Amino acid sequence: MTTRLIAAVLVTDPDSGRLLTLRRSCHLDFAPGEWDVPSGKGEPREPITATAVRELKEETGVVAAEADLRLVHVVHGSWGAEVPGMFMALVFHTDQWSGTPLNAEPHKHDTIAKGSCANGDGVLDPWRAAGSWPGSLPLF
C-alpha cells in the first residue's frame, strides 16, 4: 500500500496574525466548497519542505523560504474506500514570507482570504471547537 506525502502551510501575517486560507471550488471531487490552507502532494524525491514552498507559491503567489517553515502538526490516515492507500500530511507554519497573496489557481479555488479565530469570521472555528489546532501554534 502506498502512502502519499502531502505538505500544508499555515501562513500568518506577522502584524495581524491572520491566517491565509483558500476556499476550494465547488466542482472539485475532494472537499468542494471547503476552506483550506495552501497544500499539495509531493513529487517523487522532492523534500517535503520544497513541496510546501512550491505549493504555496503555485496556489497563492506567496514566496517563503524552506528555512522559515516550522513543522507544527502531522496527520496520517486513509483516503477511504474510493481511493485506496494512505496519506501523511505535514503541516508547517510561517510568518516570514513575501509577495501579495492572490488566487493563483482559480480552477481549484474560488476565493482567497485572511481569517482569524479571534475575530469571529468563522473560517477556522471548527478546528478550534474540535480542539485539534496544533498545540505549538498559538490561537490569534
Side-chain angles (χ1 to χ4, degrees):
M1 183 176 298
T2 303
T3 298
R4 173 73 69 157
L5 196 55
I6 298 168
V9 187
L10 302 170
V11 178
T12 55
D13 183 305
D15 297 322
S16 69
R18 293 174 67 83
L19 179 68
L20 184 66
T21 57
L22 301 156
R23 188 171 61 205
R24 297 176 54 81
S25 295
C26 289
H27 71 276
L28 297 176
D29 291 334
F30 177 74
E34 298 292 327
W35 286 98
D36 201 358
V37 296
S39 61
K41 300 175 193 104
E43 299 294 335
R45 297 188 217 2
E46 180 181 42
I48 195 63
T49 51
T51 301
V53 167
R54 176 179 54 77
E55 289 289 343
L56 178 60
K57 185 174 182 184
E58 286 176 2
E59 294 184 7
T60 68
V62 168
V63 177
E66 290 181 50
D68 291 328
L69 299 176
R70 184 171 60 104
L71 182 65
V72 295
H73 200 66
V74 177
V75 179
H76 184 248
S78 174
W79 290 111
E82 307 83 34
V83 183
M86 304 293 286
F87 71 89
M88 182 174 291
L90 282 77
V91 183
F92 297 93
H93 172 251
T94 187
D95 62 1
Q96 302 297 309
W97 51 273
S98 63
T100 301
L102 56 91
N103 182 5
E105 293 185 326
H107 58 288
K108 293 182 181 178
H109 306 103
D110 60 22
T111 304
I112 187 168
K114 289 185 207 169
S116 170
C117 289
N119 72 1
D121 63 12
V123 174
L124 295 176
D125 284 348
W127 285 17
R128 186 176 190 169
S132 62
W133 188 260
S136 59
L137 185 66
L139 293 174
F140 314 111

